[in-house]
């Protein structure tokens, strides 16, 4: 399953013992340009859609998709909460409106840097930014501590001469939509995570539109995050220090140069 087109919306989905639902949507990592999960609507009267990692997909055709898991295992998969994903405009990679969700990942870029998809003014990605949701579907984006490793210098996706602290996505407890608090007060909400395309490590937390600084892209270094609690994400910087941070996000780093965030490179399966 290397071609995204093999995941046909509306295809019947089967577990090892029999039918378990219908393929409703695909979930895309816009930085890797890869399908990471599929959303399956359950049968048997249960009003719960399941988030299925693509590594559970055994085969897929235009009419059916087969999973190597039992019905019991399927029923235990994480529910697909759409609020934790970003819904991009229709028409991307052959999927219509409402047929694709994106992880809230933005490519590290800007100022001439290379970046990942970013999704034109809409932001990319998965809504729940595993960034804190127990583990996006089965596995991705789990929760963990915020320990920081050192990023590489001058690599693709990084600003030349600048080193950023980095953290694997599965160790970031930040969720899309959470409140963000500077050391001297609230400043906005989480839009997503900024990812270095060269190694797919988290470098920054991106604020959503509507923060204190209007339309300015505001990205807070992951090293400045000191904790996540019931009130949201807390950072050690003041509002003034955050206002002075340079832009690092390539909001439309889709690689086709047209500025619409649609991308011209094909999707693949993780």
């Amino acid at each position: 399953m290397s071609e995204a087109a093999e995941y046909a919306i509306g295809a019947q989905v089967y577990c090892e013992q029999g039918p378990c639902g219908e393929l409703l949507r695909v979930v895309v990592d816009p930085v890797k340009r890869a399908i990471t999960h599929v959303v399956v609507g359950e049968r048997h009267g249960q009003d719960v859609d399941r988030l299925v990692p693509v590594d559970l997909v055994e085969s897929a055709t235009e009419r059916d998709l087969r999973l190597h898991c039992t019905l019991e295992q399927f029923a235990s998969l994480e529910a697909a909460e759409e609020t934790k994903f970003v819904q991009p405009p229709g028409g991307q990679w052959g999927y219509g409106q409402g047929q694709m969700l994106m992880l809230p990942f933005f490519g590290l870029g800007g100022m001439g840097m290379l970046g990942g998809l970013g999704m034109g003014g809409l932001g990319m990605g998965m809504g729940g930014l595993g960034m804190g949701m127990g583990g996006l579907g089965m596995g991705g984006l789990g929760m963990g501590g915020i320990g920081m490793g050192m990023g590489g210098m001058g690599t693709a996706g990084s600003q030349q001469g600048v080193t950023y602290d980095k953290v694997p996505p599965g160790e970031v407890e930040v969720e899309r939509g959470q409140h963000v608090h500077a050391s001297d007060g609230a400043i906005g909400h989480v839009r997503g995570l900024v990812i270095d395309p060269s190694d797919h490590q988290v470098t920054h937390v991106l604020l959503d539109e509507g923060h204190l600084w209007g339309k300015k892209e505001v990205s807070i270094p992951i090293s400045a995050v000191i904790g996540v609690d019931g009130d949201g994400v807390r950072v050690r910087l003041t509002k003034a220090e955050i206002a002075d941070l340079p832009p690092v996000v390539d909001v439309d780093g889709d690689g086709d140069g047209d500025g619409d965030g649609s991308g011209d490179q094909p999707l693949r399966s993780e």
Side-chain angles (χ1 to χ4, degrees):
M1 257 131 351
S2 59
E3 297 298 327
E6 294 179 352
Y7 296 99
I9 303 302
Q12 295 303 301
V13 181
Y14 297 85
C15 292
E16 292 173 353
Q17 300 108 313
C20 55
E22 177 182 321
L23 179 59
L24 303 180
R25 297 173 184 81
V26 296
V27 177
V28 173
D29 179 331
V31 176
K32 289 185 174 180
R33 292 185 177 86
I35 294 177
T36 62
H37 299 73
V38 294
V39 178
V40 178
E42 286 198 75
R43 291 191 168 192
H44 312 301
Q46 297 185 33
D47 188 23
V48 179
D49 297 336
R50 298 293 174 185
L51 195 61
V52 182
V54 293
D55 59 11
L56 287 182
V57 177
E58 191 169 72
S59 64
T61 68
E62 291 186 2
R63 291 191 293 184
D64 61 55
L65 184 149
R66 298 185 179 276
L67 308 176
H68 54 83
C69 68
T70 65
L71 286 170
E72 181 179 15
Q73 291 170 327
F74 173 79
S76 68
L77 295 177
E78 182 179 354
E81 299 180 47
E82 293 189 15
T83 56
K84 294 184 176 182
F85 299 83
V86 171
Q87 296 197 33
Q92 297 188 16
W93 291 300
Y95 289 101
Q97 184 70 41
Q99 295 182 340
M100 182 171 69
L101 299 172
M102 285 193 169
L103 303 181
F105 290 172
F106 294 78
L108 180 65
M111 301 187 345
M113 295 178 281
L114 299 178
L117 189 70
M119 283 338 0
L122 214 208
M124 22 51 54
M126 150 189 137
L129 191 29
M131 306 157 37
M133 73 190 219
L136 205 110
M138 321 279 358
L141 310 132
M143 302 325 26
I146 293 191
M148 333 280 160
M150 292 307 296
M153 207 144 92
T155 57
S158 302
Q159 183 178 357
Q160 196 118 30
V162 176
T163 300
Y164 295 116
D165 285 341
K166 299 182 181 182
V167 184
E171 295 183 5
V172 180
E173 297 182 351
V174 180
E175 292 187 10
R176 177 175 168 80
Q178 284 181 315
H179 292 278
V180 181
H181 303 271
S183 61
D184 53 353
I187 54 174
H189 297 81
V190 174
R191 181 179 179 184
L193 296 180
V194 180
I195 306 290
D196 185 338
S198 68
D199 55 14
H200 212 252
Q201 299 286 290
V202 178
T203 63
H204 297 73
V205 174
L206 181 66
L207 292 189
D208 206 348
E209 295 178 355
H211 50 65
L212 292 181
W213 302 278
K215 294 184 177 298
K216 175 185 176 183
E217 293 291 346
V218 178
S219 304
I220 301 172
I222 194 67
S223 58
V225 176
I226 57 177
V228 180
D229 56 30
D231 293 326
V233 181
R234 300 191 178 279
V235 300
R236 61 169 53 91
L237 304 177
T238 65
K239 294 177 182 178
E241 289 172 327
I242 292 172
D244 290 336
L245 292 172
V248 300
V249 175
D250 179 14
V251 178
D252 179 22
D254 57 7
D256 61 10
D258 60 12
D260 66 2
S262 61
D264 59 3
Q265 298 183 25
L267 286 174
R268 61 183 176 79
S269 296
E270 263 287 68

